[in-house]
Amino acid sequence: MRDSSDTAAVTRRRLFGLTAGTAAALTVASPAWAREAPDSKNLDAEASWRKLAEGNGRFVSGHQTHPHESLKWRESLVKGQHPFACVVGCADSRVPPELVFDEGFGDLFTIRAAGEVLDNSVLGSVEYAVEHLEVPLVVVLGHASCGAVSATIDVVRGRAEVSGEISTLVRAIEPAVLATPPDRDEKAFLARCVDNQAKRVAALMVERSVTIRTAVRHHGVKVVAASYQLDTGAVTRLT
Ligand SMILES: [Zn+2]
């Protein structure tokens, strides 16, 4: 059961200051859930990760099932959503979480920004997923050859300049690059910076948000970092 028991879920809602009516409105699940997706509801954090890993395994092997794309399923979601994980990923067109994890409509609460940079809007979106949608797992998904991280490395090394709000992205990624030990192997260094950026964002979420921190410490929610390989399609959990 999600959060061990219904009582735990109620306690969590109460903790977050929701009235029973509000919570019911936000977390309503249509009867269709019970019929069509008994495996998607009430997962704990590790079961949620296993489900993602299984989907990624199907994606890697080319045996996707493309779940939850039917008209009937789409209609069942009109009354409400009940995603089993929140994914904070890069905006890179080569890393769409629903495809990478072989999931469908209503499965993932996805937030994307270049370099999976964390700002207040992203943080608020994660809080919404944790507090109101009660996702048990938040995955920060970095990826190989990330252009945002690569550009930041170039700026840090004085090889390039960026303009406009791209500089906002660079400033946000810079601490992860500066914290990564130097390496003559450019590719290896970029890969480590990517991993460190994902791990740093995962840690920052818990540090900056009382809502997320409380959910992690007291309600079984997990925030993990992961990395996606463009060539193999595989996702590796980092934390
Ligand atoms: Zn990227």
Side-chain angles (χ1 to χ4, degrees):
M1 299 296 285
R2 178 187 295 280
D3 247 345
S4 301
S5 69
D6 290 344
T7 305
V10 169
T11 304
R12 189 160 141 200
R13 288 181 200 125
R14 192 170 294 144
L15 176 82
F16 290 135
L18 296 173
T19 65
T22 309
L26 289 163
T27 59
V28 65
S30 75
W33 271 108
R35 294 196 304 275
E36 298 187 42
D39 60 332
S40 296
K41 198 180 174 190
N42 299 327
L43 299 178
D44 65 16
E46 287 304 323
S48 174
W49 173 259
R50 283 196 297 276
K51 187 169 167 57
L52 288 176
E54 286 166 10
N56 180 243
R58 296 193 299 273
F59 173 74
V60 168
S61 68
H63 293 95
Q64 298 98 315
T65 59
H66 302 290
H68 299 162
E69 295 181 1
S70 69
L71 171 62
K72 187 183 170 193
W73 177 255
R74 208 173 68 226
E75 288 172 345
S76 79
L77 292 173
V78 171
K79 290 182 180 176
Q81 60 172 322
H82 198 45
F84 70 89
C86 172
V87 178
V88 179
C90 182
D92 195 297
S93 63
R94 300 166 294 181
V95 197
E98 283 82 359
L99 298 182
V100 165
F101 292 113
D102 191 27
E103 299 297 343
F105 287 90
D107 290 328
L108 304 178
F109 192 87
T110 302
I111 306 155
R112 296 174 71 178
E116 64 275 358
V117 159
L118 186 69
D119 64 13
N120 288 343
S121 299
V122 172
L123 197 59
S125 299
V126 176
E127 287 184 355
Y128 180 79
V130 168
E131 181 177 326
H132 294 284
L133 302 178
E134 299 188 338
V135 298
L137 178 70
V138 179
V139 178
V140 181
L141 184 63
H143 69 93
S145 304
C146 181
V149 176
S150 182
T152 304
I153 292 171
D154 286 343
V155 170
V156 166
R157 291 184 173 172
R159 296 192 298 225
E161 292 180 4
V162 290
S163 59
E165 289 303 323
I166 297 174
S167 61
T168 302
L169 299 173
V170 166
R171 278 198 303 275
I173 299 170
E174 200 172 30
V177 172
L178 293 174
T180 304
D183 192 321
R184 286 185 180 178
D185 184 334
E186 294 269 337
K187 199 175 170 187
F189 182 68
L190 173 57
R192 273 199 280 279
C193 287
V194 163
D195 289 355
N196 284 342
Q197 169 64 2
K199 286 192 270 191
R200 183 170 177 275
V201 168
L204 272 179
M205 270 180 205
V206 178
E207 186 184 312
R208 285 177 51 185
S209 167
V210 173
T211 299
I212 298 170
R213 192 163 58 247
T214 301
V216 166
R217 288 184 181 170
H218 303 293
H219 301 284
V221 170
K222 289 191 177 179
V223 180
V224 305
S227 182
Y228 172 77
Q229 298 304 315
L230 292 180
D231 50 0
T232 64
V235 172
T236 306
R237 182 166 166 174
L238 302 171
T239 55

